């Protein structure tokens, strides 16, 4: 078997394989690369000795049985579970995504345990499972954004074979799989890449320290490393799409950016395989060029999360106005109406949170709505709160139903966060499992210091390192059977069914979306083709004039009569209603 490693700054490289040492030779055709032939099989343990230091795990290793500080293990791709062809209905335009964290989706916290719950998702009606990061990280439990091995699968979840089994099970159930990947930084513990070469650069600095080297000397190989990892998830594991974490934090001054290079490679792989592969960005820029096709000057990513939609809806539901919610809270229904028709609230407008103007307008007449994802909750918007409280901790079932209605019948590709479909009573808190005591204390103190600035007492902030914090964050699968939760779950299923069966609710034409609202009386209506949606966020009933359009009630949270001949409809408090001819 041939082994290879890029170590351009090293004078001598050897490999430790199953207890034996093998000298590696420079590759005459590739600068900085070292190769060796050695007998190995699936599961063989190996690592590299750099000028006598080590052994260190393979930067491109697929498996780290003992964690990021242990040896790599050989993975035979042919030994991974067979994967059936993904279902044909998985294109992004028709998608309803479901974000989940493997470690807290089930009590066991494994791929196999999550696969056993896929029947819940198919009954719900979602089309794709979006997995939070599964790359190897130090410790057993964490969110996954501290990953340090972009090619490896976290062993406690089930390793590479477990991920392959999960993907196969999802596809067999008719579900696509999206994987969250992090290219903008690596975690603070177990990161051995700097020993191998210039994977990081001081040319740029990020909130996590030195930037990943995308544009300085040696960056060709670093970009190839990250690009190869991304394609491996899609090619070798059958993943259908990638969610790219915080692309605004990718420091890249090259004329051809890494994101353009990645999007081109994914489009090429999609064409070669005949599979509808896609990339979804998380971006703070409010810049439509993120999802504009490369042929017309954009980065060519296929979609992005739309936090402006979330913030406007959150303010309308909760009345919160702190931090980045301030701009949206002044007139939240007007802000929501703007995001539903123009995508970004900040499209060249003043942002008080940033202290400057922010964003750029979206050409809503040419940009399809499925370039953007809409949601009421995400891991960020729950877990980065002081107590990790969900909307269900403070809102009535009626308001939760209203929130779901806006997201699932609105113009954007909907995404749910695990448990929201039944109004989960469990929080989703920030938890870590750093083995380094100093790092653990720094994270604990930093979390408390961050929220102390907002008036929280230190003892009120959950300790990220306490196993109880992770335990509290696991879903309670007894809840969906309880009456109040079951009713909300049924409402989610109804809305997803309506989205699937009514083409107008999947129409990508943003220019055709019509929204009306009354800020004082707290109601909002919008039109998607022949479908009308009315949402009353007030506790008091309201009468709304829909016009003489002959629509009838398809579904409503509380009982609602059909509109009268004058087109007026009476909507009870905290109720949403969907209507069509």
């Amino acid at each position: 078997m041939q082994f290879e490693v890029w170590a351009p700054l090293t004078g001598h490289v050897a490999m430790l394989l199953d207890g034996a040492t093998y000298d590696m030779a420079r590759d005459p055709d590739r600068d900085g690369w070292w190769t060796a032939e050695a007998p190995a099989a699936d599961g063989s343990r190996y690592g590299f000795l750099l000028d006598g230091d080590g052994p260190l795990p393979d930067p491109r290793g697929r498996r780290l049985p003992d964690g990021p500080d242990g040896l790599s293990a050989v993975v035979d791709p042919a030994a991974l579970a067979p994967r059936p062809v993904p279902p044909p209905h998985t294109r992004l335009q028709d998608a309803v995504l479901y974000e989940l964290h493997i470690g807290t989706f089930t009590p066991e916290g494994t791929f196999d345990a999550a696969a056993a719950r896929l029947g819940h998702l198919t009954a719900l009606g979602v089309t794709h499972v979006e997995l939070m990061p599964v790359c190897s990280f130090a410790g057993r439990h964490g969110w996954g954004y501290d990953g340090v091995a972009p090619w490896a699968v976290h062993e406690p979840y089930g390793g590479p074979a477990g991920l392959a089994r999960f993907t196969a099970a999802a596809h067999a159930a008719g579900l696509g799989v999206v994987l969250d990947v992090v290219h903008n930084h690596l975690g603070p513990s177990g990161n051995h890449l700097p020993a191998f070469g210039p994977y990081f650069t001081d040319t740029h600095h990020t909130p996590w320290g030195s930037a990943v080297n995308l544009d300085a000397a040696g960056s060709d190989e670093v970009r190839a490393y990250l690009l190869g990892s991304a394609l491996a998830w899609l090619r070798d594991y059958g993943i259908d799409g990638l969610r790219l974490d915080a692309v605004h934090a990718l420091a890249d001054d090259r004329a051809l950016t890494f994101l353009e290079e990645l999007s081109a490679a994914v489009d090429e792989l999609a064409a070669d395989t005949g599979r509808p592969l896609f990339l979804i960005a998380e971006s703070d820029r409010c810049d439509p060029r993120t999802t504009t096709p490369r042929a017309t000057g954009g980065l060519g990513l296929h979609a992005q999360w739309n936090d402006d939609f979330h913030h406007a809806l959150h303010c309308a539901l909760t009345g919160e106005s702190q931090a980045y919610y301030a701009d949206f809270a002044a007139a939240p229904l007007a802000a929501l109406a703007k995001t539903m028709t123009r995508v970004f609230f900040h499209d060249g407008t003043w942002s008080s949170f940033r202290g400057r103007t922010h964003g750029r307008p979206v050409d809503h007449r040419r940009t399809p709505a499925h370039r953007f994802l809409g949601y009421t909750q995400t891991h960020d918007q729950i877990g980065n709160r002081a107590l990790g409280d969900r909307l269900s901790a403070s809102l009535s079932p009626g308001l939760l139903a209203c929130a779901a209605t806006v997201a699932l019948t609105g113009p954007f590709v909907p995404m749910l966060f695990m448990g929201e479909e039944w109004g989960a009573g469990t929080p989703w808190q920030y938890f870590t499992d750093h083995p380094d005591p100093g790092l653990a204390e720094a994270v604990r103190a930093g979390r408390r210091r961050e929220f102390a600035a907002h008036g929280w007492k230190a003892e009120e902030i959950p300790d990220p390192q306490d196993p109880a914090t992770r335990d509290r964050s696991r879903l309670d699968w007894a809840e969906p059977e309880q009456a109040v939760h079951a009713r909300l779950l049924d409402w989610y299923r109804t809305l997803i069914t309506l989205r699937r069966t009514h083409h107008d609710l999947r129409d990508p034409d943003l220019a055709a979306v019509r929204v009306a609202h009354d800020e004082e009386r707290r109601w909002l209506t919008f039109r998607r083709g022949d479908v009308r949606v009315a949402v009353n966020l007030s506790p008091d009933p309201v009468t709304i004039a829909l016009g003489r359009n002959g629509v009838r009630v398809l579904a409503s949270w509380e009982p609602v009569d059909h509109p009268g001949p004058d087109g007026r409809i009476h909507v009870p408090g905290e109720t949403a209603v969907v209507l069509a001819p």
Side-chain angles (χ1 to χ4, degrees), residues 385-448:
R385 295 171 67 84
L387 302 181
D389 51 312
R390 298 168 178 263
L391 287 177
S392 54
S394 57
L395 298 185
S396 68
L399 286 179
L400 295 177
C402 289
T405 304
V406 176
L408 286 166
T409 64
F412 307 123
V413 174
M415 184 181 73
L416 316 180
F417 181 71
M418 61 178 196
E420 79 163 76
E421 69 274 21
W422 71 73
T426 51
W428 204 75
Q429 299 177 334
Y430 180 67
F431 54 89
T432 57
D433 185 27
H434 296 302
D436 179 350
L439 178 59
E441 180 55 35
V443 170
R444 181 185 296 115
R447 184 80 174 173
R448 289 172 174 171

Side-chain angles (χ1 to χ4, degrees), residues 68-434:
D69 293 322
L71 293 176
S72 298
V74 171
V75 173
D76 179 6
L80 298 179
R83 296 177 299 276
V85 176
H89 63 268
T90 54
R91 62 178 186 159
L92 194 56
Q93 181 175 336
D94 299 323
V96 178
L97 280 71
Y98 186 95
E99 186 187 24
L100 69 83
H101 176 262
I102 288 293
T104 51
F105 185 59
T106 65
E108 300 86 351
T110 64
F111 291 121
D112 290 340
R117 292 285 181 181
L118 291 176
H120 168 80
L121 302 186
T122 56
L124 178 61
V126 300
T127 64
H128 293 73
V129 179
E130 181 174 310
L131 301 179
M132 289 176 61
V134 300
C135 289
S136 183
F137 57 87
R140 181 176 181 83
H141 302 299
W143 279 19
Y145 295 95
D146 284 337
V148 293
W151 288 68
V153 182
H154 195 49
E155 193 72 13
Y157 291 165
L163 176 60
R165 288 194 300 271
F166 177 86
T167 304
H171 287 167
L175 297 168
V177 180
V178 181
L179 179 62
D180 196 335
V181 297
V182 183
H183 294 145
N184 53 65
H185 75 287
L186 270 73
S189 178
N191 175 14
H192 299 288
L193 290 184
F196 287 89
Y199 282 90
F200 298 87
T201 175
D202 289 330
T203 303
H204 309 282
H205 290 275
T206 74
W208 308 282
S210 297
V212 174
N213 181 14
L214 298 177
D215 57 8
S219 59
D220 283 1
E221 289 289 357
V222 177
R223 289 159 73 112
Y225 172 78
L226 295 175
L227 189 140
S229 166
L231 295 180
W233 299 120
L234 302 170
R235 182 188 60 243
D236 300 339
Y237 293 92
I239 301 294
D240 302 287
L242 301 177
R243 183 262 191 186
L244 309 178
D245 182 64
V247 300
H248 54 269
L250 291 172
D252 184 2
D253 287 338
R254 288 171 63 158
L256 178 63
T257 66
F258 170 72
L259 289 176
E260 293 172 83
E261 193 175 358
L262 176 59
S263 69
V266 170
D267 286 348
E268 182 178 355
L269 181 62
D272 289 344
T273 60
R275 298 169 53 210
L277 307 175
F278 51 82
L279 297 171
I280 302 172
E282 179 197 22
S283 176
D284 185 48
R285 290 198 181 102
C286 290
D287 185 353
R289 289 174 293 190
T290 301
T291 58
T292 298
R294 296 184 307 280
T296 51
L299 300 180
L301 304 184
H302 305 93
Q304 76 166 78
W305 284 21
N306 186 1
D307 274 352
D308 279 14
F309 170 81
H310 167 273
H311 297 346
L313 180 55
H314 185 91
C315 290
L317 292 165
T318 68
E320 292 184 10
S321 59
Q322 72 276 16
Y324 50 69
Y325 291 133
D327 294 330
F328 302 86
L333 289 178
L336 182 58
K338 180 178 180 180
T339 63
M340 294 179 71
T341 54
R342 297 297 189 271
V343 182
F344 297 140
F345 178 78
H346 288 303
D347 54 4
T349 58
W350 174 258
S351 168
S352 62
F353 177 69
R354 298 174 179 86
R356 58 171 174 79
T357 55
H358 184 69
R360 184 186 183 103
V362 171
D363 185 346
H364 70 290
R365 298 191 179 279
R366 296 185 179 182
T367 305
H370 59 256
R371 296 289 186 204
F372 306 95
L373 271 62
Y375 36 84
T376 67
Q377 301 175 80
T378 70
H379 76 272
D380 270 331
Q381 302 303 335
I382 301 171
N384 285 327
R385 295 171 67 84
L387 302 181
D389 51 312
R390 298 168 178 263
L391 287 177
S392 54
S394 57
L395 298 185
S396 68
L399 286 179
L400 295 177
C402 289
T405 304
V406 176
L408 286 166
T409 64
F412 307 123
V413 174
M415 184 181 73
L416 316 180
F417 181 71
M418 61 178 196
E420 79 163 76
E421 69 274 21
W422 71 73
T426 51
W428 204 75
Q429 299 177 334
Y430 180 67
F431 54 89
T432 57
D433 185 27
H434 296 302

Side-chain angles (χ1 to χ4, degrees), residues 533-548:
V533 179
V535 178
N536 178 16
L537 302 181
S538 167
D540 302 318
V542 296
T543 299
I544 304 172
L546 296 177
R548 298 179 184 275

Side-chain angles (χ1 to χ4, degrees), residues 13-34:
V13 180
M15 179 178 62
L16 182 68
L17 173 66
D18 289 338
T21 302
Y22 300 83
D23 286 329
M24 303 188 76
R26 293 184 185 273
D27 188 325
D29 300 320
R30 296 183 297 165
D31 186 45
W33 282 86
W34 301 76

